[in-house]
Amino acid sequence: MSSQQLRLSDEELIQLCHRVEVSSSLSFEELIYLVQLDERQAQILFATADRVRQRMVGDAVHLRGLIEFSNICIRQCQYCGLYCRNNQVKRYRMKEDEIFATAEHAVKMGYPSLVLQSGEDPFYNTHIERLAGVISRIKNELKVAITLSAGEFSKTDYQRLKDAGVDRYLLRFETSDAKLYRELHPDSQLDDRLQCLQYLAETGYQVGTGFMVGLPRETPEIFANNLLLLKKLNVGMVGIGPFLPNQDTPLKGEASGTSLGTLIAVALTRLLLPDTNIPATTALGTLDKDGRIKALQAGANVMMPNVSPMEFRELYKLYPNKLCVTADQGRDTAIKLVESIGRVVSFSAGHAPLRK
Ligand code: SF4
C-alpha cells in the first residue's frame, strides 16, 4: 500500500486491522497512513487494539506506585521543565529514609509494584552505592517489584542496580530521528540512548522505552519510524505521552501533541508488540480529562498513580498542569476509573515479558 493514497474505506481499514491482528507487523507506508487517521476511522484501530489487549494480556490493569525521588537533572532536554537551565524550579533530592518510608507507605496502600523515577541526578553517578542501598532495602524488606527510571548510566552501574533488586528499567528514546533527537537534547545523541537500552537488555532487565507524540518538527515519517524502532527493540514496556509545552523551557511557544495522536500511538504499539505492558500516562490525562480511560480502551493495561510526598509533587514538573492529588485519592481514582469500564485492578506485580 502506498501512503500516497489519501484514504482507505472503512472496509479496507478493517481488513488491514485484521491482518495486523494476526501478523503483528505493519509496513512503513502503512504506518504513515495510520498515524494520520482521523478521529472517526481511528475508532476502528482502537477497537482492534482493545481486542488484542484483551486476548494477549487480559482485563487486568496493573497499578504501580510512582515515587519521584529527585528532580535534580544535568540534562538539557528542551521540552522538560526539569532541564538543568530552568532555575525557576526548586530542586530536591529525597533522603534515602524518605524514599524507603514512601515505598513502605505505598506497599501498605496495596501497591505490589513501584516505579522510582528521577531526573538524571549526577549525585547518583558518583554515589551509585547510595541508590543501590535504598533499592536493596526496599526489595529485601518490602518484597515489591521495582522499576527504575533515572536516565543513562554505565553498563557496570546498570548491573549494580540490577543486583540490588531493580526488576525493570524505563528509558524512553523520545524520537527515533537522530537529527531531531540532537536538536531536542543538545548534550546527547540517539546512539548513546540506544546503547544504554542495549546494556539494559544485556543485563537482564525487563526493558521499557517509548516516545513523545507531537514534538515540534515531528513528521508522519518520524512518527512511523518511532513505532518501527519500538518493534525492533522488542521491549516489554512502552510509555507514550503527548508533548506538552512547558512555559519554563525553550519550546514554550510550540503547539502541544494531540490526544488523538497519542491514542493512535498506544493502539499501534499494542498491535506491533501484542504482549507488552503499556501505561495510560498521566501526561495524556493532563491533556484530555478522559485520556487515561481512552488509552485503556485503545490498548493500555497499566496505570502509575503518584505516591510521592505532596511537598515534592509540585516540584516534579516535567510538563505544566500536572494532575496533583494525594496518594490515597490517586489510587482511589485509578481503581474507580478501571472499574468504570468493566476492567479489574491487578494486585500482582504484573511483570513484563522478558525478551531474549
Ligand atoms: S526529560 Fe529527564 S533527563 Fe531530560 S531534562 Fe527532564 S528529567 Fe532530565
Side-chain angles (χ1 to χ4, degrees):
M1 183 198 308
S2 161
S3 59
Q4 298 307 312
Q5 280 179 256
L6 283 180
R7 187 166 195 91
L8 289 180
S9 68
D10 288 0
E11 191 50 45
E12 289 167 325
L13 181 57
I14 289 167
Q15 279 174 17
L16 174 62
C17 285
H18 280 158
R19 203 206 74 212
V20 188
E21 267 192 87
V22 177
S23 69
S24 307
S25 91
L26 284 159
S27 70
F28 179 57
E29 290 73 22
E30 287 165 340
L31 281 169
I32 290 175
Y33 178 79
L34 292 170
V35 298
Q36 299 177 87
L37 284 178
D38 63 24
E39 183 98 39
R40 193 187 63 78
Q41 281 207 319
Q43 304 310 315
I44 296 171
L45 181 70
F46 299 159
T48 310
D50 199 40
R51 233 175 11 250
V52 172
R53 184 272 310 153
Q54 211 278 335
R55 191 171 69 241
M56 297 303 294
V57 294
D59 282 335
V61 176
H62 302 289
L63 293 195
R64 329 260 197 232
L66 174 66
I67 303 174
E68 296 160 332
F69 64 95
S70 167
N71 73 350
I72 298 170
C73 189
I74 49 162
R75 293 284 182 183
Q76 296 186 43
C77 310
Q78 301 286 289
Y79 44 79
C80 176
L82 300 186
Y83 91 121
C84 62
R85 292 184 196 277
N86 181 9
N87 48 25
Q88 300 299 312
V89 67
K90 186 175 157 214
R91 304 285 172 167
Y92 72 88
R93 178 184 303 119
M94 286 170 67
K95 296 186 177 66
E96 282 110 299
D97 280 350
E98 287 176 319
I99 299 173
F100 181 81
T102 306
E104 192 173 37
H105 181 62
V107 170
K108 282 188 184 142
M109 288 173 69
Y111 286 103
S113 179
L114 302 176
V115 179
L116 271 59
Q117 188 174 65
S118 72
E120 207 160 303
D121 184 342
F123 176 80
Y124 293 117
N125 283 106
T126 47
H127 298 81
I128 195 74
E129 285 307 317
R130 299 277 291 271
L131 187 54
V134 68
I135 284 165
S136 171
R137 188 173 167 213
I138 292 171
K139 192 72 180 177
N140 290 334
E141 295 186 33
L142 303 177
K143 318 282 183 217
V144 276
I146 299 176
T147 303
L148 185 62
S149 177
E152 296 183 12
F153 286 96
S154 66
K155 189 174 183 186
T156 309
D157 284 351
Y158 283 139
Q159 184 68 60
R160 178 70 195 92
L161 294 166
K162 179 87 179 59
D163 294 344
V166 180
D167 301 285
R168 317 165 181 145
Y169 203 100
L170 289 174
L171 189 71
R172 295 191 351 182
F173 58 77
E174 307 297 4
T175 177
S176 60
D177 185 86
K179 182 165 172 285
L180 181 56
Y181 188 96
R182 186 73 176 172
E183 286 168 14
L184 295 169
H185 311 91
D187 53 355
S188 179
Q189 44 197 2
L190 180 61
D191 281 350
D192 296 339
R193 186 124 301 213
L194 297 179
Q195 177 68 76
C196 284
L197 287 166
Q198 178 70 24
Y199 288 157
L200 289 164
E202 289 169 2
T203 312
Y205 283 94
Q206 298 165 40
V207 181
T209 189
F211 62 89
M212 217 176 263
V213 173
L215 279 165
R217 298 182 288 290
E218 178 199 273
T219 61
E221 287 76 14
I222 292 175
F223 194 163
N225 272 325
N226 291 346
L227 290 154
L228 287 175
L229 181 55
L230 284 183
K231 177 78 179 163
K232 182 175 162 204
L233 292 170
N234 192 26
V235 287
M237 299 176 285
V238 177
I240 293 168
F243 163 67
L244 298 172
N246 186 312
Q247 286 312 298
D248 297 328
T249 66
L251 300 183
K252 62 182 175 194
E254 302 285 352
S256 61
T258 64
S259 172
L260 176 62
T262 309
L263 292 167
I264 287 174
V266 166
L268 288 170
T269 299
R270 174 59 66 205
L271 297 183
L272 292 171
L273 294 169
D275 63 352
T276 204
N277 278 332
I278 305 175
T281 58
T282 313
L284 181 56
T286 299
L287 180 68
D288 173 349
K289 72 175 174 42
D290 297 324
R292 289 185 298 174
I293 287 190
K294 291 176 187 170
L296 290 174
Q297 293 176 319
N301 68 323
V302 172
M303 291 184 76
M304 302 197 303
N306 202 319
V307 296
S308 308
M310 281 308 272
E311 61 187 295
F312 301 123
R313 216 63 89 75
E314 269 289 308
L315 304 177
Y316 202 93
K317 273 207 170 159
L318 304 177
Y319 50 81
N321 306 318
K322 180 179 157 188
L323 299 171
C324 238
V325 293
T326 65
D328 287 313
Q329 285 169 331
R331 180 202 53 191
D332 294 349
T333 302
I335 291 173
K336 270 194 206 132
L337 192 149
V338 168
E339 291 177 350
S340 74
I341 53 170
R343 302 271 286 279
V344 285
V345 170
S346 162
F347 289 98
S348 74
H351 284 301
L354 254 183
R355 311 298 196 190
K356 296 231 160 51

